Amino acid sequence: MSNKFVFEEKEKFLHKLEEVVKSGVSAKDIEIFTPYPVHEAEEVLKLKTSPLRFFTLLGALSGLIFGFLFTIGTSIDWPLIRGGKPIVAIPAFIIVAFELTVLFGGVISFIGFLILSKLPDVKRIIDPEEYGNQFIILIAKEGRK
Amino acid sequence: MNKLQFKPVGLMIISVLIAIVILLIEVFLTGSKDGSFLLTLSFWITLVQGTVAVAAAADVSQGKWAEPLKKELFAFYPLILFTAVIYLILSFHMDIYKWTAKPGRWLNPSFFIIRNFFLILLTFVLAHFYIRASLRGSKSKGVLAVLYIFAFVASQSFVAFDWIMSLEFPWMSTMFGPIFFMESFYAGLALGGIIAAYFIVRKIGETSAITKVLRDMATFMFGFALAWAGLYYGQFLVIWYGNIPWETSYFGIRMNHGPFNILLYLIIFILFIIPFVTFIPKKIKVSPAWVSFISVLVLIGILLERIFYILPVVPVNVIAVVIEFVVIGFLFVLFFVNRNQIIKSPA
């Protein structure tokens, strides 16, 4: 069982969240649901920065490097002069490198998200309660004082 | 700062005096084939129109992020009228445009001056009505904001196509207009970032609300750095791929000769790489020192870009440019200090 607080307004929700944290409840025992990202809540809960960004960085850099290596490699392997341009024509390869940066960054971020969230986990995906536009604070029973 | 407090009439008189100073500089210090005034005006008009455009975009999208700084963003709008008036000085420098030797229907001196003057005037009138509606919280503010943005886009496109691009007639690039009005918005955000940082340091207003504005301005600048790079690269790629001599000559002059080639890489570095990389961490976006530093850098980058466009074609008198930048910069500070006066009684 847990203690539940329901709010219609963000300010009231944040105020209560601050109160709960100040009362000594550990951030681990607090679960929040918001209709949109509320960055202030992260600040109140003093959550550690997620290592997800390193997955994104790794993906983006690998996409960028692969984009250039792929285009340069295939051009050198099968050299065809097009429109009087050099075989290794960097301005044209930037587009491929950029697209692969975004693609790899996105896909590896998603994979990183699944790993960090320990997903797929059907029990955790399906939440029997739907909160709509409300702001919710759930405190695990052990966390209550 | 109290010494700089003036009533609207006082501000108007100072503006007229500064316009006269600029006129005297342009008549006595520079020749008819000098691009100093074009450089000065093309930079300041970008900044002043972009500042109002930022607030208008926030109103159109019903965004509350600009709300705490709205009055400050609006404070500079009478300067659109100032730029319209001093724009007429450009008629003394029409010799910088080679097409004046053989004027056509569109590119002829009198039509050039008239259409641009009325377009800037139109942006001022629409800015005036939009700001009045926005301050009153009137329902028409959304429509007026859209109208202002249309006029702003048209005016900045004309700055690009008419003022700058026609320096190298018949060279043309359809991307020139979008790059200019996007840069104008970028400049407006940079000015917003500087103001927000100043407010936080001086503890003016509610710090937590202003910090959010600072973060939003930094986030927008991060996005606009990428958008700028995309547009600039899009323009370059099409010309590079097409490889048509009369098109490539534009970049040929600039990329194969110093110091313009260095200037090009410097502009890319300042307007894209530095803001893009620096604004990735969350902490930087809420740091007044960092945001103001990057904002100033962005404004310098836009000025360097104007130099990059103009200097290879026409000479520029450095002394004239420095004096004009100092006096117009002073006018900006003056309007910012007197923002409460201006917003209370819109000119």
Side-chain angles (χ1 to χ4, degrees):
Chain A
M1 281 298 289
S2 59
N3 213 353
K4 186 164 87 175
F5 299 96
V6 181
F7 301 92
E8 296 293 331
E9 289 166 33
K10 190 178 90 173
E11 283 68 30
K12 286 180 184 170
F13 157 77
L14 285 171
H15 186 70
K16 182 67 188 175
L17 191 62
E18 272 175 30
E19 264 182 24
V20 170
V21 171
K22 274 180 191 167
S23 70
V25 180
S26 163
K28 276 186 214 166
D29 298 321
I30 302 171
E31 203 174 359
I32 56 168
F33 295 88
T34 55
Y36 53 85
V38 179
H39 300 295
E40 296 92 328
E42 291 169 25
E43 286 160 21
V44 173
L45 290 171
K46 289 176 186 138
L47 296 174
K48 278 184 192 169
T49 312
S50 163
L52 181 65
R53 57 200 175 133
F54 295 112
F55 282 87
T56 313
L57 182 68
L58 186 76
L61 287 178
S62 55
L64 183 75
I65 294 165
F66 179 71
F68 277 117
L69 287 181
F70 177 68
T71 45
I72 293 169
T74 48
S75 299
I76 292 170
D77 187 51
W78 193 264
L80 285 173
I81 296 170
R82 284 147 298 186
K85 300 289 181 294
I87 297 294
V88 177
I90 297 296
F93 298 166
I94 290 174
I95 300 171
V96 181
F98 173 75
E99 296 295 346
L100 288 181
T101 306
V102 177
L103 179 69
F104 279 41
V107 170
I108 294 182
S109 297
F110 181 64
I111 294 169
F113 161 73
L114 291 179
I115 294 168
L116 295 172
S117 311
K118 293 169 188 161
L119 289 172
D121 181 344
V122 178
K123 281 180 193 169
R124 289 176 67 200
I125 292 174
I126 300 169
D127 196 308
E129 284 197 70
E130 169 59 52
Y131 298 113
N133 286 333
Q134 290 170 318
F135 298 85
I136 313 294
I137 302 172
L138 286 177
I139 304 167
K141 199 178 178 184
E142 303 81 57
R144 275 193 292 163
K145 286 196 174 178
Chain B
M1 285 288 183
N2 282 339
K3 285 179 186 173
L4 295 176
Q5 296 284 354
F6 291 97
K7 286 184 176 172
V9 182
L11 289 171
M12 210 179 283
I13 293 166
I14 293 168
S15 303
V16 171
L17 288 174
I18 286 176
I20 293 167
V21 169
I22 295 169
L23 176 69
L24 292 174
I25 290 167
E26 290 304 321
V27 170
F28 295 109
L29 210 61
T30 65
S32 65
K33 286 187 177 176
D34 192 284
S36 324
F37 183 67
L38 183 64
L39 176 63
T40 307
L41 193 62
S42 65
F43 173 79
W44 289 106
I45 197 166
T46 294
L47 186 58
V48 70
Q49 288 190 344
T51 313
V52 181
V54 169
D59 263 337
V60 170
S61 57
Q62 294 181 346
K64 289 179 181 170
W65 53 270
E67 216 60 45
L69 278 194
K70 223 170 184 181
K71 195 196 272 184
E72 287 68 30
L73 292 171
F74 286 159
F76 305 106
Y77 96 94
L79 290 173
I80 301 177
L81 182 63
F82 174 77
T83 52
V85 173
I86 63 167
Y87 164 76
L88 296 172
I89 298 171
L90 197 64
S91 54
F92 293 114
H93 295 292
M94 291 308 284
D95 287 345
I96 59 175
Y97 298 104
K98 285 171 194 160
W99 49 260
T100 48
K102 203 180 172 186
R105 276 184 195 169
W106 179 260
L107 289 176
N108 71 72
S110 44
F111 186 35
F112 178 94
I113 294 291
I114 290 167
R115 66 171 175 259
N116 280 291
F117 174 73
F118 280 106
L119 200 51
I120 306 169
L121 210 59
L122 179 70
T123 56
F124 168 73
V125 172
L126 287 170
H128 173 76
F129 286 113
Y130 153 62
I131 288 169
R132 209 167 63 166
S134 182
L135 290 171
R136 286 179 185 168
S138 157
K139 279 182 184 173
S140 61
K141 72 175 180 180
V143 176
L144 287 163
V146 170
L147 289 175
Y148 172 77
I149 289 171
F150 271 122
F152 155 75
V153 166
S155 178
Q156 281 301 316
S157 300
F158 271 65
V159 170
F161 294 130
D162 261 7
W163 302 16
I164 309 289
M165 203 172 82
S166 79
L167 280 172
E168 282 176 86
F169 180 79
W171 182 83
M172 59 159 287
S173 162
T174 47
M175 295 295 278
F176 231 64
I179 290 173
F180 265 66
F181 67 73
M182 206 273 299
E183 272 176 5
S184 181
F185 204 89
Y186 199 3
L189 289 168
L191 189 63
I194 295 168
I195 296 169
Y198 173 78
F199 274 24
I200 292 168
V201 172
R202 287 292 176 105
K203 293 187 174 114
I204 302 169
E206 200 186 323
T207 307
S208 63
I210 306 284
T211 306
K212 279 181 197 166
V213 178
L214 189 78
R215 190 182 64 196
D216 291 336
M217 293 285 178
T219 311
F220 272 120
M221 273 195 271
F222 172 79
F224 269 80
L226 196 61
W228 179 87
L231 282 182
Y232 217 75
Y233 172 67
Q235 173 180 257
F236 173 76
L237 189 73
V238 171
I239 293 170
W240 177 83
Y241 230 111
N243 208 15
I244 302 166
W246 69 268
E247 274 189 356
T248 52
S249 64
Y250 182 83
F251 283 106
I253 295 164
R254 288 163 173 82
M255 289 179 78
N256 299 325
H257 301 92
F260 303 115
N261 49 5
I262 300 165
L263 200 58
L264 176 65
Y265 295 116
L266 196 65
I267 291 163
I268 294 169
F269 207 69
I270 292 177
L271 288 181
F272 169 52
I273 296 170
I274 294 179
F276 185 76
V277 175
T278 318
F279 280 142
I280 291 175
K282 202 173 164 185
K283 281 179 189 169
I284 300 285
K285 290 194 202 89
V286 289
S287 157
W290 272 107
V291 175
S292 53
F293 172 66
I294 304 288
S295 300
V296 170
L297 218 53
V298 165
L299 294 179
I300 292 171
I302 291 170
L303 172 64
L304 289 178
E305 206 205 353
R306 300 291 182 269
I307 295 171
F308 178 74
Y309 291 140
I310 297 168
L311 203 55
V313 192
V314 284
V316 167
N317 185 325
V318 180
I319 298 167
V321 172
V322 170
I323 298 171
E324 284 167 3
F325 264 73
V326 169
V327 290
I328 300 178
F330 170 71
L331 204 57
F332 255 74
V333 173
L334 214 57
F335 274 73
F336 175 70
V337 172
N338 293 283
R339 57 191 179 279
N340 292 327
Q341 291 283 344
I342 296 159
I343 297 309
K344 253 190 225 167
S345 50

